[in-house]
Amino acid sequence: MNDYVIEMLHIDKVFPGIKANDDITLQLRKGEIHALLGENGAGKSTLMSVLFGMYQPDGGEIRKDGKKVEIHNPNDANALGIGMVHQHFKLVEVFSVLDNIILGAEDVKMGMLKKKKAREKVVALSENYGLRVDPDALIEDISVGMQQRVEILKMLYRDNDILIFDEPTAVLTPQEIEELLQIMRNFAAEGKSILFITHKLNEIMAVADRCTVLRKGKCMGTVEVQNTTKEELSRMMVGRDVSMTVEKKDIAVGSVVLEVRDITVPGKFKKKDAVKNVSFEVRAGEIVCLAGIEGNGQTEFVAALTGLEAMSRGRIRLNGQDITNASVRARARAGISHIPEDRHKHGLVLDYSLEDNLVLQRYWEPAFQEGGFIKKGEVRRYAEKLIDEYDIRSGQGAVTVARSMSGGNQQKAIIAREVDRNCDLLVAVQPTRGLDVGAIENVHRQIEAVKNNRKAVLLVSLELDEVMSLSDRILVMYEGEIVGEFDPKTTTVQELGLYMAGARRQGEEDVFDEE
């Protein structure tokens, strides 16, 4: 008897200029968690999109329970019990959470949409799996982390038994990641089968039974996780040894580059402030990290700092110049680079070419325009230089449409654009989100190089390992306030976790007694 619930046999998928999947075979057993590992652009998401019916394969076949099946669209996949949590959310921003979850699986009677049972089911699922959401909130008004929860609930709502998770932990906190991994274990124990795309080797070692590794569109092999190591997996993935230790130089900090005083930012619905009286400084030659659990004001603070959102009070100075009321472009020209949290909403114009995206912050400079006309040749040469230096992979090089690139390579493009501007302040929000271990190693080196070049870095990250290895100072934000300042050399991840959860606040007794 065939013990594989899904078999993808000799799958080929070709896009203009690139063979994304080249003779890939992947077999999923019932009740197993099967990890899919590979560099950015290796073909992982493409392969899963073929299984979910979003792309049609150019070669090979798919079998379900040993029988060949045709999956022409996601509805066919859902009918076969296949669900997918997408890396880039497939949500309608002007719809509510509830409407997004039930979209395509609505209960209709006499032409009328029946939402009562759907709401009860969504609320029950969110409670059972610790994925609490407000069913009536609009997608455009909730955080990236909450949008991720909606994607997971969409799949749970449809009672699928083959679950595809495409980078589901990229925007989750450490606590949320552990909860999700436990949910996966529970699913597997119930007999559900999981395909799990991730770049995080720790997660694979913690939860996966087997792992298939892709490199540049080809399958490098499938291994039993209990019989391998993180080092072996990373070598299979990138073809070399990878060091995740950042070599930090102790350099004397210079003058104050960024000074924020009493920053207060109203919340989305004006009921309470999202950021409350935040004050701190960042100096030249220093990496200061703003750490905290998703939804505690970091997003709103960065939006106010970069000019994307209005403050209700406070002052911002950059190199002594007051930029409190400056426009986004004026702040950029004054010396702020910004790697945004949401690469699709604030980082890229998805329907522009890669080369146009790489000059979004500089196209008005004399090097790239004359008399109001863009110097296309100069833009092309500059883009090709960044593509080479930052290993940005795309099917058609500089003319590739940004939307068609993998998420990791979209992120690399943003990092290349912002770091290369050589600004006095780099604001880096989740800079390694969705990147593979080789790319993370490179980004960490780039951020450290910015610091060593006597520039200031404000890092906003949920990755505590990243926070501890990169930062010179750590500021913990909880419910819109700075509740602690730490030296990474003298603190621990456990101590930071207590402050991030609101259990402690510097200068006060613990919020609750630890027994």
Side-chain angles (χ1 to χ4, degrees):
M1 180 180 172
N2 192 335
D3 65 344
Y4 296 120
V5 289
I6 288 291
E7 296 174 272
M8 302 186 76
L9 305 174
H10 308 291
I11 299 296
D12 290 331
K13 182 61 188 174
V14 180
F15 295 108
I18 189 170
K19 194 166 190 178
N21 293 152
D22 186 356
D23 191 27
I24 294 177
T25 292
L26 174 69
Q27 296 170 305
L28 176 67
R29 294 173 180 150
K30 180 175 176 62
E32 84 164 333
I33 301 175
H34 193 123
L36 193 57
L37 180 67
E39 291 181 283
N40 300 121
K44 308 179 300 298
S45 293
T46 298
L47 186 67
M48 292 299 96
S49 293
V50 168
L51 178 58
F52 194 58
M54 298 182 71
Y55 296 141
Q56 298 306 302
D58 296 309
E61 67 179 37
I62 300 172
R63 294 178 183 173
K64 168 91 188 300
D65 297 324
K67 298 178 181 178
K68 183 178 177 180
V69 293
E70 299 287 342
I71 304 176
H72 298 291
N73 55 56
N75 287 335
D76 288 346
N78 275 312
L80 291 167
I82 301 170
M84 184 169 180
V85 175
H86 299 273
Q87 179 184 6
H88 295 130
F89 313 134
K90 308 295 182 184
L91 301 172
V92 182
E93 293 206 339
V94 295
F95 280 16
S96 70
V97 166
L98 178 62
D99 288 342
N100 269 278
I101 292 171
I102 67 175
L103 187 62
E106 302 92 338
D107 182 14
V108 179
K109 188 174 182 180
M110 303 288 288
M112 300 293 289
L113 191 60
K114 314 292 281 187
K115 288 189 181 181
K116 184 178 179 183
K117 286 186 178 179
R119 177 185 292 272
E120 290 171 355
K121 183 174 180 179
V122 168
V123 169
L125 286 169
S126 66
E127 292 288 336
N128 290 344
Y129 293 110
L131 297 166
R132 292 178 181 81
V133 292
D134 177 1
D136 299 313
L138 297 181
I139 294 298
E140 63 185 357
D141 292 330
I142 63 177
S143 70
V144 175
M146 285 293 171
Q147 290 178 28
Q148 177 70 282
R149 293 184 181 191
V150 176
E151 282 283 18
I152 295 170
L153 285 167
K154 275 171 61 178
M155 188 171 63
L156 297 177
Y157 181 80
R158 285 157 177 77
D159 301 318
N160 298 131
D161 56 9
I162 296 160
L163 315 178
I164 306 168
F165 288 84
D166 188 355
E167 298 285 355
T169 66
V171 294
L172 302 182
T173 66
Q175 292 90 336
E176 289 170 332
I177 289 171
E178 183 50 47
E179 288 173 6
L180 179 63
L181 296 184
Q182 186 56 51
I183 288 168
M184 288 186 183
R185 294 184 191 104
N186 294 343
F187 284 157
E190 292 171 8
K192 296 182 187 292
S193 306
I194 296 173
L195 284 162
F196 177 37
I197 300 176
T198 182
H199 293 110
K200 299 176 182 178
L201 298 173
N202 287 338
E203 294 174 6
I204 292 175
M205 302 306 292
V207 79
D209 300 302
R210 292 191 299 152
C211 178
T212 295
V213 182
L214 304 187
R215 191 198 308 169
K216 296 183 179 178
K218 293 181 180 291
C219 181
M220 307 308 294
T222 299
V223 297
E224 298 282 343
V225 170
Q226 65 181 9
N227 298 329
T228 191
T229 64
K230 290 189 290 184
E231 291 74 20
E232 289 175 9
L233 288 174
S234 66
R235 276 194 295 272
M236 287 178 70
M237 178 170 61
V238 301
R240 60 179 175 84
D241 290 327
V242 178
S243 171
M244 296 311 295
T245 303
V246 181
E247 293 185 15
K248 294 174 68 172
K249 291 182 181 177
D250 286 326
I251 61 175
V253 296
S255 58
V256 174
V257 174
L258 173 68
E259 178 190 2
V260 296
R261 286 286 172 264
D262 303 321
I263 298 296
T264 299
V265 182
K268 277 282 183 188
F269 305 105
K270 316 294 184 188
K271 292 180 181 177
K272 64 177 183 177
D273 292 329
V275 180
K276 307 167 189 172
N277 299 318
V278 167
S279 300
F280 62 87
E281 296 174 349
V282 186
R283 295 177 176 269
E286 178 180 44
I287 300 174
V288 174
C289 181
L290 200 58
I293 294 171
E294 176 88 19
N296 276 278
Q298 308 96 308
T299 298
E300 292 83 357
F301 174 80
V302 171
L305 174 63
T306 54
L308 295 171
E309 208 166 286
M311 307 182 301
S312 56
R313 65 186 294 263
R315 189 179 78 246
I316 304 171
R317 291 186 184 275
L318 187 71
N319 291 322
Q321 175 188 352
D322 194 319
I323 61 167
T324 306
N325 298 311
S327 66
V328 174
R329 180 183 287 194
R331 295 178 198 222
R333 298 182 79 162
I336 295 181
S337 283
H338 177 209
I339 300 169
E341 175 181 14
D342 190 330
R343 55 179 167 248
H344 282 185
K345 189 178 288 186
H346 298 127
L348 298 166
V349 181
L350 290 171
D351 293 316
Y352 279 15
S353 66
L354 174 56
E355 64 184 2
D356 287 343
N357 273 284
L358 289 172
V359 294
L360 275 181
Q361 294 278 38
R362 305 184 66 174
Y363 67 87
W364 58 79
E365 295 177 4
F368 302 113
Q369 66 86 26
E370 187 173 5
F373 291 92
I374 300 292
K375 298 178 182 177
K376 289 290 187 181
E378 293 301 320
V379 170
R380 177 69 51 83
R381 278 187 284 274
Y382 177 69
E384 288 175 347
K385 177 178 83 79
L386 293 188
I387 289 168
D388 182 57
E389 288 180 8
Y390 290 83
D391 190 28
I392 305 169
R393 300 179 188 179
S394 56
Q396 297 172 287
V399 299
T400 304
V401 175
R403 185 183 298 277
S404 70
M405 295 165 57
S406 73
N409 281 294
Q410 290 173 349
Q411 187 75 356
K412 286 183 187 179
I414 296 168
I415 291 167
R417 181 185 69 211
E418 299 302 323
V419 171
D420 196 71
R421 290 177 57 222
N422 197 31
C423 287
D424 292 328
L425 174 68
L426 173 63
V427 181
V429 188
Q430 312 292 4
T432 57
R433 177 189 167 200
L435 296 185
D436 61 65
V437 289
I440 290 172
E441 176 190 42
N442 189 45
V443 169
H444 286 175
R445 285 177 181 166
Q446 294 287 350
I447 292 174
E448 186 68 16
V450 171
K451 165 194 158 178
N452 295 339
N453 198 27
R454 309 294 296 168
K455 308 297 184 181
V457 179
L458 178 63
L459 172 68
V460 182
S461 179
L462 300 175
E463 302 284 350
L464 287 182
D465 290 342
E466 182 170 76
V467 170
M468 295 293 283
S469 65
L470 275 180
S471 305
D472 297 303
R473 281 192 294 135
I474 302 169
L475 305 174
V476 175
M477 182 174 273
Y478 176 72
E479 292 190 345
E481 299 179 89
I482 302 296
V483 295
E485 179 175 330
F486 303 91
D487 181 341
K489 294 177 183 175
T490 58
T491 190
T492 64
V493 169
Q494 290 74 22
E495 183 178 25
L496 288 178
L498 287 172
Y499 283 83
M500 289 167 67
R504 287 185 182 173
R505 180 187 295 258
Q506 282 181 348
E508 299 180 7
E509 295 297 319
D510 286 5
V511 175
F512 57 80
D513 293 326
E514 296 175 89
E515 297 182 6

